[in-house]
C-alpha cells in the first residue's frame, strides 16, 4: 500500500494549481464550532466527494467555497488566489463556480428555459439568442429538451434537479459544487441525476460533491474526504476509503450505512 | 312606500360620469400604492436605520388613523400648515394613496419574507447582485403570492374612494348624493349606487381570485 504522500502525488493534475484549496478552514456559529480545522484540495478535473454523518460539517465546507458561508479562520484559495473580500469580487468568483442544491431551488415563476438563461442574460450579458441556443443544448444534454417551455412545478424532482444542473452549467463554470443533490429525491429518480453527474465527471468537469450515495462516490470519485464532527477523519482515493478504510470512524460510518464493499 | 327609479335612471349619464371618475381614482391609487408600497417595504426591510424607523412609524400611524381623517386633513389643514393647496381630485388621490400604501407595504413585506432563503442563494450563486436577485427572483414570486391580499386592497380602495364625496370630488358617491337631492328619491339613488359598486367589485375580486388560482404554482418554490 502506498504512503499518504505517494497518494497525493498520484492525484489527477497534482502538479497544477488546485482549483480549490482549503487551508485550515474554521467555521463557527457563535460558540458552536461547525468546522474545526479542515485542510483539503481539489485538483483540476477531479471529482471529490465529501461524506460523513449529518451535521459533520461537509455541507458547511462546501458552502464556504463560494462564500455562502463566511469562514472565521484559515484560508480558502480558488485558482490559487484567496477569495476576494469585496462583494463584486465574490460575484466574479461565483460566476466561475456552479452550485446545485438539495432542494433544486429552481425559480418557480420562470420556465425551464428561462431558468437556464437568466444567469447568462443577467450576469454575463449574453444575448437572448445566444443564451437560448446554449440553454437548448444543455437541456438536450440532461435529456429534457422537450421540457423547455414547462414550469418547474410540472416537473418531477429528478427532472427539476437535472434542470438545476443545466442552469449551473450555463455559466460555464470551472468547478461544480453539489450539495446533497439526490437527498430530496424519490429513489426511482435518483439514478437519472447521478447519471448526468457521472457523464459530467467523464467530460472532465471538476466537481465537489457532498453526498450520501456511497455507490456513486465509490465509482465516480477520484478522492473522498470523510468528515466527523467538524473535522476530517480520513481522506484518500475512493478505493482506499471504501475497501480499506484506515480510520475506525470511517469503518463505523460505512457500516452504519450498510456499506459492505 | 313605492320605489320609483325613473328620475334616478334618467340621470344615468351623469352617474356614469361619476363612476368613470371612481374607477380612475381607484386605478391611480392602486398603481401608486403598489409602487410606493414596494419601495416602503424594501426601505423598511433593507434600508438603513434612519430610514426604516420613520417608515415603521408611518405604516403604524396610517393603520391607526381613519382614511377620512387623512383626507380631510390633507384637503383642509395641509394648505394652512404648508401653503400647498390641492384641488379635490388630487387631494383625494394623495390621501388614499398615502393610506392604502401603508397596507400594501405590509403585504409586500410579508410576501418577500415568505420566499425561502434558498431562492436568494440560488440567485447569488449565479453571480447576481442582491438587487438583481430581488428584482428578478424574489419580487416576482412575492407578487404572485400576494395576489389574494392585493385583491382585497383593490376592493377596499374602490370602496374607500366614496369618501372623496366629502370634499366634493364628483365621483359616483358625490353624484349619487346630488341626484338624490334633486329628485327627492334618496332610497332609489343609493340603491342604484349600491348595485353599481357591487357589479364592479364582485367580478373584480372573483377575477383576481381566478387569476391567482391559475398562476399560484409560479410563486411556489
Amino acid at each position: 500500500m502506498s504512503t499518504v504522500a505517494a497518494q497525493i502525488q498520484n492525484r489527477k493534475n497534482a502538479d497544477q494549481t488546485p482549483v480549490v484549496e482549503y487551508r485550515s478552514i474554521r467555521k463557527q456559529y457563535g460558540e458552536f464550532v461547525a468546522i474545526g480545522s479542515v485542510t483539503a484540495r481539489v485538483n483540476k478535473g477531479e471529482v471529490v466527494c465529501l461524506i460523513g454523518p449529518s451535521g459533520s460539517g461537509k455541507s458547511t465546507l462546501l458552502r464556504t467555497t463560494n462564500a455562502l458561508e463566511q469562514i472565521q479562520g484559515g484560508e480558502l484559495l480558488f485558482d490559487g488566489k484567496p477569495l476576494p473580500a469585496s462583494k463584486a469580487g465574490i460575484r466574479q468568483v461565483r460566476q466561475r463556480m456552479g452550485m446545485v442544491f438539495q432542494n433544486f431551488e429552481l425559480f418557480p415563476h420562470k420556465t425551464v428555459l428561462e431558468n437556464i438563461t437568466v444567469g447568462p442574460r443577467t450576469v454575463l450579458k449574453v444575448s437572448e439568442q445566444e443564451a437560448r441556443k446554449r440553454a437548448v443544448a444543455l437541456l438536450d444534454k440532461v435529456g429534457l429538451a422537450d421540457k423547455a417551455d414547462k414550469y418547474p412545478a410540472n416537473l418531477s424532482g429528478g427532472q427539476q434537479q437535472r434542470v438545476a444542473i443545466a442552469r449551473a452549467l450555463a455559466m460555464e463554470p470551472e468547478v461544480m459544487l453539489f450539495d446533497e443533490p439526490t437527498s430530496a429525491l424519490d429513489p426511482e429518480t435518483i439514478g437519472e441525476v447521478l447519471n448526468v453527474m457521472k457523464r459530467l465527471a467523464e467530460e472532465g468537469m471538476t466537481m465537489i460533491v457532498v453526498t450520501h450515495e456511497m455507490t456513486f462516490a465509490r465509482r465516480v470519485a477520484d478522492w473522498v474526504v470523510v468528515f466527523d464532527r467538524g473535522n476530517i477523519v480520513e481522506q484518500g482515493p475512493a478505493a482506499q476509503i471504501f475497501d480499506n478504510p484506515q480510520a475506525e470512524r470511517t469503518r463505523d460510518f460505512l457500516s452504519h450505512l450498510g456499506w459492505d464493499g | 312606500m313605492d320605489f320609483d327609479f325613473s328620475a334616478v335612471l334618467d340621470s344615468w349619464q351623469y352617474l356614469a360620469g361619476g363612476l368613470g371618475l371612481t374607477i380612475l381614482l381607484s386605478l391611480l391609487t392602486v398603481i401608486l400604492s403598489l409602487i410606493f408600497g414596494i419601495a416602503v417595504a424594501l426601505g423598511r426591510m433593507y434600508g438603513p436605520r434612519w430610514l426604516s424607523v420613520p417608515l415603521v412609524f408611518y405604516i403604524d400611524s396610517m393603520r391607526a388613523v381613519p382614511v377620512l381623517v387623512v383626507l380631510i386633513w390633507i384637503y383642509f389643514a395641509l394648505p394652512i400648515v404648508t401653503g400647498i393647496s390641492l384641488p379635490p381630485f388630487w387631494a383625494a388621490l394623495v390621501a388614499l394613496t398615502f393610506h392604502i400604501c401603508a397596507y400594501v407595504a405590509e403585504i409586500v413585506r410579508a410576501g418577500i419574507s415568505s420566499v425561502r432563503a434558498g431562492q436568494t442563494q440560488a440567485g447569488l450563486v449565479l453571480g447576481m447582485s442582491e438587487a438583481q436577485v430581488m428584482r428578478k427572483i424574489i419580487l416576482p414570486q412575492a407578487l404572485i403570492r400576494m395576489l389574494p391580499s392585493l385583491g382585497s386592497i383593490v376592493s377596499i380602495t374602490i370602496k374607500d374612494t366614496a369618501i372623496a364625496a366629502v370634499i366634493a370630488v364628483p365621483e359616483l358617491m358625490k353624484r349619487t348624493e346630488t341626484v338624490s337631492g334633486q329628485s327627492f328619491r334618496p332610497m332609489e339613488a343609493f340603491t342604484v349606487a349600491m348595485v353599481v359598486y357591487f357589479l364592479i367589485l364582485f367580478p373584480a375580486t372573483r377575477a383576481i381570485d381566478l387569476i391567482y388560482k391559475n398562476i399560484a404554482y409560479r410563486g411556489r418554490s
Side-chain angles (χ1 to χ4, degrees), chain A residues 63 105-106 109 151 171, chain B residues 116 119 121 126 136 218:
Chain A
R63 294 161 60 85
E105 301 298 352
L106 290 183
H109 60 296
Y151 282 87
M171 298 294 289
Chain B
R116 69 167 179 235
Q119 287 286 303
Q121 292 171 2
L126 289 171
K136 306 231 166 207
R218 293 190 204 173

Side-chain angles (χ1 to χ4, degrees), chain A residues 10 15 23-24 32 42 46 74 101 107-109 127 130 143 163-164 173 176 186 206 213-214 242 246 254:
Chain A
N10 290 336
D15 53 327
R23 287 184 181 165
S24 312
F32 175 72
V42 180
E46 269 188 329
F101 298 87
F107 307 131
H109 60 296
S127 74
E130 177 62 31
V163 173
M176 284 283 284
D186 295 329
T206 310
E213 291 295 325
M214 294 304 137
F242 288 100
Q246 303 299 297
L254 291 174

Side-chain angles (χ1 to χ4, degrees), chain A residues 24-98:
Chain A
S24 312
I25 300 293
R26 189 166 55 80
K27 167 74 195 174
Q28 281 175 243
Y29 298 100
E31 292 291 290
F32 175 72
V33 180
I35 299 174
S37 176
V38 163
T39 298
R41 60 186 278 167
V42 180
N43 293 329
K44 195 169 186 324
E46 269 188 329
V47 177
V48 173
C49 280
L50 314 183
I51 66 171
S54 297
S56 60
K58 52 196 194 306
S59 278
T60 307
L61 183 74
L62 188 77
R63 294 161 60 85
T64 63
T65 315
N66 56 3
L68 282 182
E69 300 281 358
Q70 308 299 315
I71 55 175
Q72 274 77 50
E75 202 177 16
L76 209 161
L77 304 183
F78 173 54
D79 197 17
K81 290 181 277 293
L83 280 195
S86 70
K87 280 189 175 181
I90 294 286
R91 283 207 298 277
Q92 294 279 333
V93 165
R94 284 176 177 156
Q95 290 169 29
R96 299 164 61 194
M97 298 181 180

Side-chain angles (χ1 to χ4, degrees), chain A residues 100-101 104 106 112 115-116 135 138-147 155-170 176 178 181-182 185 188-197 199-200:
Chain A
V100 175
F101 298 87
F104 332 131
L106 290 183
V112 164
N115 262 278
I116 302 173
L138 283 167
L139 276 177
D140 199 39
K141 181 178 174 141
V142 299
L144 293 170
D146 55 329
K147 305 288 186 196
L155 268 53
S156 73
Q159 291 171 334
Q160 289 192 47
Q161 194 61 300
R162 281 143 71 196
V163 173
I165 293 172
R167 175 176 70 181
L169 290 174
M176 284 283 284
F178 292 88
T182 58
L185 293 176
E188 64 264 35
T189 61
I190 289 177
E192 62 193 57
V193 172
L194 292 179
N195 280 337
V196 168
M197 291 170 62
R199 246 182 298 139
L200 206 53

Side-chain angles (χ1 to χ4, degrees), chain B residues 9-54:
Chain B
L9 294 179
D10 283 347
S11 310
W12 73 270
Q13 279 177 313
Y14 181 70
L15 290 173
L19 177 62
L21 201 60
T22 290
I23 290 171
L24 179 68
L25 185 57
S26 304
L27 272 181
L28 288 176
T29 301
V30 167
I31 291 166
L32 292 176
S33 296
L34 192 58
I35 294 168
F36 288 119
I38 290 171
V40 169
L42 290 176
R44 176 179 180 175
M45 294 176 82
Y46 305 105
R49 241 187 99 70
W50 60 260
L51 185 63
S52 64
V53 169

